[in-house]
Amino acid sequence: MEKHHDNPFQFTKAVIYLPLFFVLTLWSVFWYELHFNHSLSHFGVYPREVFGLKGILFSPFLHGDIEHLANNSVALLVLLPILRYFYKEQSFLVLFLGILFSGLGTWLLGRPSYHIGASGLIYALVSFIFFKGIFTRYYRLVALSFTIVILYGGSVWYMFPNVKEGVSWEGHLAGFLVGLALALVLKTPQFGKTIFYEWQKPDFNPELDPFMKNFDEKGNFNPPPKPEEVIREYFNSSMKVVYEFLGGKKE
């Protein structure tokens, strides 16, 4: 169980700028394809072919149509601010590894076709945020995990084959597994509870501390002698007690 700081969450401009920049990049690529009538789908992931490896990095920025792009953009505008705000120290690593390994998983599991879109990354973010909140047991993050279930719980069905034609369920499944793995592996020390020792407290007085009394003025360990033990008499009486032996004489 991971422990927690009193206030591990801090709002920064990156909470806004990161998702805006990422989504703006997606739309810029899509605009380029439309404006110049130049499809970049061949930069997607093509499973188990060497030329398809380039798609591991490029495929999240490619989308087949406006509906696909819009759906992924909305999800990223929700998930990336959550990731940056609640997991500031891990956000860029989760983003990079989510893209890298969800793409690699798609390359290993996918059908022989070009796989494009940021869906694998989205599933990695959903999975990481959900499982990490549960693993930390921090009440705010647990509440966030349940919120993620409400928002994206239905998307779990799209990790299975033949649910919807044209959907890369392999990319979804790979992203989900990557998010779970990152939640298990990545540490979140910002949620560690600060430990205060007695000597760190502002009202600490070394002269009154039992342990510090064992040291002399020069800092040498010189415990004071133990007080002599006093034997107490628990049964005292001013009355005279006479014991008389009553025994018969044996013949």
Side-chain angles (χ1 to χ4, degrees), residues 144-205:
L144 177 62
S145 296
F146 286 111
T147 302
I148 291 296
V149 170
I150 295 173
L151 293 176
Y152 297 102
S155 61
V156 68
W157 300 111
Y158 294 97
M159 296 189 300
F160 300 97
N162 303 323
V163 174
K164 184 177 180 181
E165 186 178 356
V167 172
S168 177
W169 65 269
E170 301 96 330
H172 297 171
L173 178 59
F176 182 85
L177 295 177
V178 168
L180 172 58
L182 292 177
L184 289 169
V185 172
L186 294 184
K187 303 299 181 181
T188 49
Q190 67 267 37
F191 302 120
K193 187 175 183 179
T194 304
I195 300 175
F196 289 101
Y197 298 97
E198 290 295 327
W199 54 269
Q200 292 179 308
K201 295 181 179 179
D203 58 347
F204 175 72
N205 187 347

Side-chain angles (χ1 to χ4, degrees), residues 27-46:
W27 283 87
S28 298
V29 172
F30 188 75
W31 175 86
Y32 171 85
E33 290 184 287
L34 288 180
H35 186 75
F36 293 99
N37 195 25
H38 181 201
S39 176
L40 300 176
S41 296
H42 59 282
F43 282 97
V45 173
Y46 199 96

Side-chain angles (χ1 to χ4, degrees), residues 28-81:
S28 298
V29 172
F30 188 75
W31 175 86
Y32 171 85
E33 290 184 287
L34 288 180
H35 186 75
F36 293 99
N37 195 25
H38 181 201
S39 176
L40 300 176
S41 296
H42 59 282
F43 282 97
V45 173
Y46 199 96
R48 295 173 299 280
E49 296 289 347
V50 176
F51 67 85
L53 286 171
K54 61 182 180 295
I56 292 176
L57 295 179
F58 295 131
S59 62
F61 303 96
L62 306 173
H63 292 82
D65 53 51
I66 191 72
E67 180 182 0
H68 188 201
L69 175 60
N71 290 337
N72 284 351
S73 296
V74 171
L76 290 170
L77 289 174
V78 172
L79 295 170
L80 286 178

